[in-house]
Every structure is written in C-alpha cells, then in structure tokens.
Amino acid sequence: MGEQSRVTAADAVTVEEQPWGRLEWMVSAALGNSATMTVGRCYIRPGEQNPRHYHPNCDEVLHVLQGTIEHTVADDKVAMGPGDTISIPSGAVHNARNVGADEAIFVICFSTPNRETVGE
C-alpha cells in the first residue's frame, strides 16, 4: 500500500460510548487516515435512540447491517432493516431509533474528514 493508504485494524478503532449505544470511528481527519471523509459504525441498543441532530458541514450516508430502525429525517419516518441505505443531506435534522429486539448496527459515512454535529 502507498503512503496515502492506511488500514485501521479492528482493535484500533476509536470508540465513543453513548447512553444509547456507541460509535466506532475507523476513518477521519482526527485519526489521520483521510483528508476527504469520515467513516464509522453506530450501535444502538434495543428500545434506544440517538438524539435528533444535524450535520451543518456534510452529507451522511447510513447503511443498516443488523437490526431494525426507524429513521426520522425532519418529519418523515422510514423503517429500515439490513441492506437498507439512506442518504441524509447536510443540515437535515435526523435520528435513528432501534425498534427491534436485537442491537442495531449500521455503517455511517460523511462527506468530510471533520464531521460537525449539532444537537437539537
């Protein structure tokens, strides 16, 4: 691999514990392995949800790997399960709620290496 390529080993992700689950970051400017995007995984426990928020400086793509979530963007709600993907534009207020019996796991990607998040 060239100087621009860098593998983040599974045991080297940055973990942020949250009251509702956790975020794991694999790619970002803070990790020093991208100048163009942020990539992570989000885990939400059954019956929990992350707070409504928005990203003023980037779009987000969310892809469900496991579980069932209800994703809300503005006032629209959509049920999502494994294999479903949603594109969320910059500035759109959104959040995910785990409506299933299993932990929900999804990949989250942002169009900037320095993701900003503003809570509602």
Side-chain angles (χ1 to χ4, degrees):
M1 278 196 253
E3 228 176 276
Q4 301 300 321
S5 301
R6 199 163 135 204
V7 172
T8 302
D11 62 353
V13 301
T14 299
V15 178
E16 292 179 19
E17 295 293 337
Q18 302 291 334
W20 41 266
R22 73 183 183 280
L23 296 166
E24 294 182 351
W25 300 109
M26 293 90 74
V27 174
S28 70
L31 293 170
N33 56 4
S34 182
T36 59
M37 62 188 308
T38 300
V39 178
R41 273 187 309 268
C42 181
Y43 297 76
I44 299 180
R45 290 188 297 277
E48 298 287 338
Q49 64 184 344
N50 61 350
R52 288 181 57 76
H53 62 281
Y54 67 95
H55 307 286
N57 69 328
C58 59
D59 292 351
E60 177 179 357
V61 172
L62 180 155
H63 176 79
V64 180
L65 299 173
Q66 172 185 301
T68 306
I69 63 170
E70 178 181 80
H71 202 274
T72 304
V73 180
D75 293 326
D76 295 330
K77 294 182 181 184
V78 61
M80 298 179 66
D84 292 339
T85 304
I86 188 169
S87 179
I88 305 156
S90 176
V93 177
H94 64 281
N95 78 312
R97 181 168 62 98
N98 185 342
V99 294
D102 298 320
E103 183 174 52
I105 304 171
F106 40 96
V107 174
I108 48 178
C109 303
F110 301 87
S111 61
T112 180
N114 296 300
R115 171 189 69 100
E116 295 175 5
T117 301
V118 177
E120 184 175 48

